[in-house]
């Protein structure tokens, strides 16, 4: 499998990242292990999680995903075959959030313990922390890199203005820089990334590992009416895509998929993979059949006509003039 360079970090990653938010949430430990084994056996090496996964589940406290990954590393012995990404900064409890130096250090040690490893390949700021000076956060990451506990750093959910500011602080003060960005991006959610973030990432050589690559499953074609939303625990997240534009996108996906003897999910991911600024969309699977779909998406190359058809279908419609 052809690996892709993640920013200027030196890390080489597969063209898709497995999103670990499902581990301990919609898939149990045994299923998680089988999915992870199949992922690596298929030639993929990139896995993304976060300390806060899956705190939103009743009875969970966060750390469930990392814990399952740690057990898998210990059982499988495959840690060296994985580019492991995790995140820090989202609230883990009262007073336990942000990117202050002391908090990052404590959170990292907790993640390392749960993951049963002594280093993180890509440690990401899960959310911007306006209360902590960027230089303090970046300097802390620099020390962790010097100590061998972190190899590279990335940012998630940053605006273009704040990412640009962080990159400038790194340049001016000789500190490590964010080598990757994790934004919301898919065939439906295009504008926020393409308008401001994409030009910055291209100019600065920042890798992009976008989340919600399949729009909470909407781009698989699974949810075509409100009656379909109860098909899975994630269905309610797809409700906002059931618009005239959303259905127009599904129609285009269906058409292109038919021409390529593929599925809407494969086509939607192939469209993202063809965009030069995208390094590795983050995707999840809860079964081996779904994982096979993800693998197949990386083997599909769309022609220019198919890409343009999808571009046109997914462009927001201009307002209709009054009168």
């Amino acid at each position: 499998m052809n690996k892709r360079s993640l920013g200027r970090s030196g890390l080489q990653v597969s063209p898709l990242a497995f999103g670990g938010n499902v581990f301990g949430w919609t898939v149990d430990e045994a299923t998680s292990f089988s999915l992870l084994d199949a992922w690596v056996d298929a030639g993929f090496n990139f896995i993304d999680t976060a300390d806060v996964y899956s705190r939103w589940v009743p009875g969970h406290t966060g750390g469930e995903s990392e814990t399952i990954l740690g057990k898998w590393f210990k059982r499988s012995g495959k840690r060296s075959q994985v580019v492991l990404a995790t995140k820090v900064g989202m609230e883990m409890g009262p007073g336990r959030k942000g990117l202050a130096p002391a908090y990052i250090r404590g959170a990292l040690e907790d993640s390392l313990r749960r993951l049963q490893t002594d280093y993180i390949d890509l440690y990401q700021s899960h959310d911007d922390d306006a209360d902590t000076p960027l230089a303090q956060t970046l300097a802390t990451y620099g020390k962790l890199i010097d100590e061998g506990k972190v190899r590279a750093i990335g940012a998630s959910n940053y605006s273009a203005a704040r990412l640009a500011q962080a990159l400038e602080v790194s340049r001016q003060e000789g500190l490590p820089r964010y080598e990757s960005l994790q934004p919301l991006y898919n065939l439906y959610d295009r504008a926020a990334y393409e308008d401001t973030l994409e030009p910055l990432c291209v100019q600065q050589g920042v890798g992009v590992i976008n989340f919600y690559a399949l729009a909470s499953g909407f781009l698989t074609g699974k949810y075509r009416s409100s009656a379909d939303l109860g098909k899975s625990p994630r269905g309610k997240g797809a409700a906002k895509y059931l618009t005239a534009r959303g259905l127009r996108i599904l129609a285009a996906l269906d058409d292109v998929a038919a021409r390529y003897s593929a599925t809407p999910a494969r086509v939607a991911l192939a469209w993202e993979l063809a965009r030069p600024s995208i390094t590795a969309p983050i995707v999840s699977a809860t079964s081996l059949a779904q994982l096979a779909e993800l693998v197949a998406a990386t083997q599909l190359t769309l022609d220019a006509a198919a890409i343009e058809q999808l571009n046109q279908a997914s462009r927001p419609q201009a307002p209709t003039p009054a009168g």
Side-chain angles (χ1 to χ4, degrees):
M1 175 175 296
N2 292 326
K3 301 295 195 297
R4 297 179 168 196
S5 296
L6 184 66
R8 301 169 186 167
S9 67
L11 298 174
Q12 297 291 309
V13 299
S14 52
L16 294 175
F18 197 113
N21 63 332
V22 296
F23 303 142
W25 173 30
T26 52
V27 292
D28 60 20
E29 184 175 297
T31 305
S32 299
F33 285 5
S34 66
L35 290 168
L36 288 163
D37 283 332
W39 185 251
V40 173
D41 291 347
F44 294 82
N45 71 341
F46 202 10
I47 298 172
D48 176 78
T49 187
D51 58 3
V52 76
Y53 298 164
S54 49
R55 190 170 179 263
W56 58 86
V57 177
H60 286 201
T61 58
E64 288 80 14
S65 174
E66 289 184 335
T67 298
I68 286 178
L69 272 166
K71 291 180 179 179
W72 176 70
F73 285 140
K74 184 176 182 180
R75 191 215 64 174
S76 68
K78 294 177 180 176
R79 173 66 184 93
S80 63
Q81 299 178 48
V82 168
V83 175
L84 173 63
T86 193
K87 312 182 204 65
V88 59
M90 290 286 192
E91 185 173 357
M92 291 286 284
R96 297 173 59 206
K97 67 176 182 177
L99 300 174
Y103 181 72
I104 289 176
R105 278 200 167 272
L108 175 67
E109 293 302 327
D110 289 342
S111 287
L112 292 173
R113 173 180 49 78
R114 287 188 293 259
L115 289 160
Q116 300 193 50
T117 185
D118 54 7
Y119 69 100
I120 304 296
D121 295 291
L122 179 67
Y123 201 37
Q124 301 160 97
S125 297
H126 204 163
D127 208 359
D128 189 14
D129 177 5
D131 296 327
T132 301
L134 288 165
Q136 289 186 17
T137 296
L138 295 166
T140 302
Y141 287 142
K143 291 174 183 175
L144 295 173
I145 290 172
D146 290 343
E147 293 166 15
K149 295 180 178 181
V150 171
R151 294 180 66 192
I153 58 172
S156 174
N157 298 305
Y158 272 52
S159 67
R162 282 290 280 177
L163 178 59
Q165 187 180 358
L167 293 170
E168 182 61 17
V169 168
S170 296
R171 187 189 68 80
Q172 288 184 350
E173 304 200 18
L175 298 170
R177 68 169 213 151
Y178 288 133
E179 294 295 347
S180 65
L181 174 70
Q182 199 169 129
L184 167 64
Y185 186 62
N186 55 57
L187 194 52
Y188 190 105
D189 298 298
R190 294 179 58 184
Y193 170 70
E194 292 181 10
D195 290 352
T196 58
L197 288 164
E198 184 177 43
L200 174 64
C201 290
V202 170
Q203 179 190 39
Q204 297 293 328
V206 173
V208 178
I209 48 178
N210 52 300
F211 63 86
Y212 288 166
L214 288 173
S216 298
F218 176 76
L219 296 175
T220 68
K222 183 177 183 178
Y223 310 105
R224 294 175 183 265
S225 71
S226 56
D228 293 333
L229 299 178
K231 288 182 176 179
S232 78
R234 305 185 75 177
K236 62 182 180 181
K240 62 180 176 290
Y241 299 114
L242 283 173
T243 64
R245 177 169 168 261
L247 295 177
R248 192 167 72 244
I249 291 170
L250 288 186
L253 285 171
D254 289 340
D255 188 59
V256 174
R259 295 208 309 273
Y260 280 89
S261 299
T263 61
R266 291 184 211 171
V267 172
L269 290 174
W271 176 86
E272 291 177 36
L273 289 166
R275 197 165 190 93
S277 68
I278 299 295
T279 308
I282 299 170
V283 292
S284 293
T286 57
S287 68
L288 292 175
Q290 289 180 2
L291 190 141
E293 272 284 283
L294 303 178
V295 173
T298 65
Q299 300 161 353
L300 175 61
T301 302
L302 301 177
D303 62 23
I307 291 172
E308 183 57 24
Q309 181 179 352
L310 294 166
N311 285 344
Q312 291 291 344
S314 60
R315 283 205 174 94
Q317 284 184 313
T320 303

